[in-house]
Amino acid sequence: MAHDQDPDGGSEPSLLDRRDYLRATGLLAGSLGLGAVGESVTADTTARAATADGVPTEVGAVTTNHEWTTVELSGSYSAPVVLAPSLSYQGPQPATPRLRNVAGSDGGSSFEIAVEEWRYLDGPHRQETLGWVAADAGSHSLADGTTLEAGRFGTNHRWASQSFSASFSTAPVVFSQAQTVKGPQPVVARQRNISTSGFEARLQEEEAGGPHRVEDVGYLAVEPGSGTLNGRAFEAGTRDDVVGSWRTIQFGGTYSDPTLVAAVQTFRGANTCGVRYRNLTDSSVEVKVEEERSRDGETAHLGERVGYLVVEGADASGGDTPLSDLDWGRVERRVHHHVNQRRADHGLAELDFDTDLREIARYHSEDMAKNDYFAHTSPSGETMSDRYDKFGYDCRADAGDGTYYTGSENIAYTYYDRRVRTGDGDIVRYANADELAQGIVTGWMNSQGHRENILTEAWDDEGIGVFVTGEGKVYATQNFC
């Protein structure tokens, strides 16, 4: 079994002593693999790209839930505006991001962010990944000539007009969001009539709600097209006819470890809605317009135009990332990327990233971390098949000869930002998301059982779940179907 160890004796014997009876097995009704490592952080995990254009702007991603999380900005801002209007799709309950305490000072800046379910729901929500962009208020020109503008204005549930001071040659992509919590009810900003000279915006509570207090609303307008922001490639664009079911946005370029921000640009459907996304890759993302159901169970929505900003991730440069800033979602995506590279090297089809399998994998990685074990079967006796059943996942992968596989699993364990000895005796230190992801996949490929799982032709889908503890212990689970 591939298992990274602390060469200085820091790894826990309670985990290492179990190596002798942990083994990779291949079963027709669920082949299992055991291996090297995985990571997932329940605390704030932020990856950012700091300013390099002389423009006070940065982009990052944060993982949080219904509890407020503080994000420290790396630049110094006099009047920062923060936009984080779109949510990943880890918890299916309708929800919206909320910001508060967006502040700037000579010593730096920060903001707080949380995921708010609509009031007709129970409140607690799973962790979601939210891309965010921060910019100082004003009109800015990036080094490549791209124009962007950030600003603030006050509005409530009534439409307010906002004019641009920048000169846009074509209608920009606009993102807007409340910067304050003066009215405690969850709200989403809606936009309409975006032109080269300005736009209109209002706040919407859930359909069963009513008027809302005046909030401080921030906006960012970005000229559509591609360029570089702080040395990292980016692209801004739109897609029409996005409804309540998933639609794919194909990026014009390829972006390593991307961060995504997305928002509805139109007001074709009056029902309260926001943007959710899934399956973010280096070349595409799936998005949908999500209505809430406080008034009725109907969630069909007229086709809206959705605007997006995708920026190459902070780890793309290969620099070190502190443990506190490590984005577990980014590690998962990079593991998926490297797995597909290995399959392509062997003439096999790429696997799709299945968010349902990811939830199963995340559940097991977190359970191993919190209950101090490293195995396919939990101390309570829960197996991989039990987890598939628990999440309602039915796998039937054609194995030929009239038989089928019902699933497969690899697991891994290592450390982040600490010297570790790999299974082949090398001593390494994983210092960013890509190095960690490569280390996990290399460990699996150097272990026969894990390698066979990864190179099984029958699989169409996989999900990666990573959990990282505050001490830097990394747990990873890979599930197949």
Side-chain angles (χ1 to χ4, degrees):
M1 180 188 72
H3 182 139
D4 293 350
Q5 303 176 46
D6 182 351
D8 300 319
S11 55
E12 296 187 3
S14 58
L15 289 170
L16 298 179
D17 290 346
R18 299 190 176 105
R19 288 185 304 158
D20 292 338
Y21 76 84
L22 297 179
R23 59 191 178 88
T25 61
L27 304 174
L28 186 60
S31 56
L32 307 179
L34 201 49
V37 188
E39 159 292 326
S40 159
V41 181
T42 54
D44 170 29
T45 58
T46 308
R48 56 174 55 84
T51 183
D53 292 307
V55 178
T57 306
E58 60 188 285
V59 177
V62 59
T63 299
T64 189
N65 54 17
H66 55 280
E67 298 179 348
W68 289 102
T69 295
T70 299
V71 177
E72 298 289 342
L73 300 176
S74 58
S76 182
Y77 296 81
S78 59
V81 177
V82 175
L83 286 309
S86 51
L87 283 177
S88 62
Y89 198 70
Q90 296 164 23
Q93 297 82 4
T96 184
R98 195 70 184 272
L99 302 172
R100 71 180 185 187
N101 295 335
V102 180
S105 69
D106 292 340
S109 308
S110 65
F111 63 92
E112 292 180 84
I113 189 167
V115 177
E116 287 190 322
E117 289 191 356
W118 298 102
R119 283 204 160 188
Y120 71 93
L121 296 168
D122 62 5
H125 195 88
R126 291 183 184 179
Q127 286 194 332
E128 302 282 0
T129 299
L130 299 84
W132 56 263
V133 56
D136 239 344
S139 177
H140 309 287
S141 181
L142 301 181
D144 60 20
T146 299
T147 299
L148 61 85
E149 178 176 314
R152 293 192 183 202
F153 59 96
T155 192
N156 52 17
H157 55 281
R158 297 185 175 89
W159 290 106
S161 296
Q162 175 64 32
S163 298
F164 298 133
S165 59
S167 297
F168 291 102
S169 59
T170 187
V173 183
V174 176
F175 310 92
S176 60
Q177 188 174 13
Q179 309 287 286
T180 52
V181 185
K182 296 176 183 176
Q185 299 83 358
V187 292
V188 62
R190 294 295 303 275
Q191 305 168 143
R192 70 180 185 185
N193 297 335
I194 298 173
S195 69
T196 57
S197 58
F199 69 103
E200 293 179 288
R202 59 168 289 198
L203 297 175
Q204 278 189 308
E205 293 187 6
E206 63 184 21
E207 289 182 54
H212 195 84
R213 294 182 181 179
V214 174
E215 301 277 3
D216 196 9
V217 175
Y219 73 90
L220 177 71
V222 184
E223 187 175 2
S226 59
T228 55
L229 175 65
N230 308 323
R232 307 187 190 281
F234 81 88
E235 177 181 318
T238 61
R239 166 164 178 164
D240 279 321
D241 199 30
V242 179
V243 294
S245 55
W246 295 105
R247 295 287 189 269
T248 299
I249 294 175
Q250 201 73 37
F251 304 141
T254 301
Y255 304 91
S256 177
D257 297 324
T259 293
L260 178 82
V261 179
V264 178
Q265 305 290 288
T266 49
F267 196 74
R268 295 168 183 159
N271 293 345
T272 304
C273 65
V275 176
R276 300 292 294 270
Y277 74 89
R278 70 179 187 183
N279 295 337
L280 176 61
T281 72
D282 59 2
S283 60
S284 66
V285 67
E286 290 180 276
V287 297
K288 73 174 181 177
V289 174
E290 180 186 67
E291 288 190 5
E292 47 79 34
R293 299 189 290 270
S294 60
R295 178 170 291 174
D296 56 56
E298 180 271 321
T299 58
H301 197 91
L302 294 176
E304 304 276 7
R305 178 180 298 126
V306 168
Y308 69 91
L309 173 69
V310 60
V311 183
E312 190 170 59
D315 279 336
S317 65
D320 288 6
T321 302
L323 174 62
S324 60
D325 286 349
L326 183 66
D327 181 351
W328 52 266
R330 193 180 304 277
V331 178
E332 293 167 349
R333 294 192 298 272
R334 297 308 292 166
V335 169
H336 176 65
H337 170 77
H338 291 298
V339 165
N340 274 333
Q341 280 191 328
R342 300 303 197 283
R343 286 178 63 89
D345 290 344
H346 290 80
L348 298 172
E350 291 188 356
L351 301 176
D352 290 332
F353 194 90
D354 188 314
T355 54
D356 292 330
L357 284 175
R358 178 192 61 193
E359 291 308 302
I360 298 171
R362 285 181 171 176
Y363 168 83
H364 188 51
S365 292
E366 183 174 1
D367 190 62
M368 287 190 291
K370 290 186 175 180
N371 292 294
D372 185 30
Y373 72 97
F374 180 54
H376 294 289
T377 301
S378 73
S380 65
E382 183 179 72
T383 66
M384 183 206 76
S385 295
D386 293 331
R387 290 187 286 276
Y388 277 49
D389 291 341
K390 183 172 185 174
F391 281 78
Y393 195 95
D394 184 29
C395 177
R396 294 288 188 272
D398 186 7
D401 300 325
T403 60
Y404 57 85
Y405 295 104
T406 60
S408 175
E409 183 174 271
N410 285 341
I411 60 175
Y413 170 72
T414 191
Y415 293 86
Y416 184 75
D417 196 20
R418 186 191 299 184
R419 295 193 317 142
V420 293
R421 178 176 286 111
T422 64
D424 56 11
D426 292 337
I427 294 178
V428 300
R429 169 181 165 266
Y430 305 124
N432 58 49
D434 195 60
E435 290 178 358
L436 178 57
Q438 289 190 64
I440 291 169
V441 176
T442 298
W444 280 336
M445 292 299 290
N446 288 339
S447 172
Q448 183 177 351
H450 308 94
R451 178 187 176 91
E452 290 175 356
N453 278 339
I454 290 173
L455 300 181
T456 294
E457 187 174 2
W459 308 131
D460 294 315
D461 305 287
E462 74 166 347
I464 309 297
V466 176
F467 193 98
V468 177
T469 71
E471 296 78 34
K473 299 175 187 175
V474 181
Y475 296 80
T477 303
Q478 178 184 37
N479 286 115
F480 300 90
C481 184

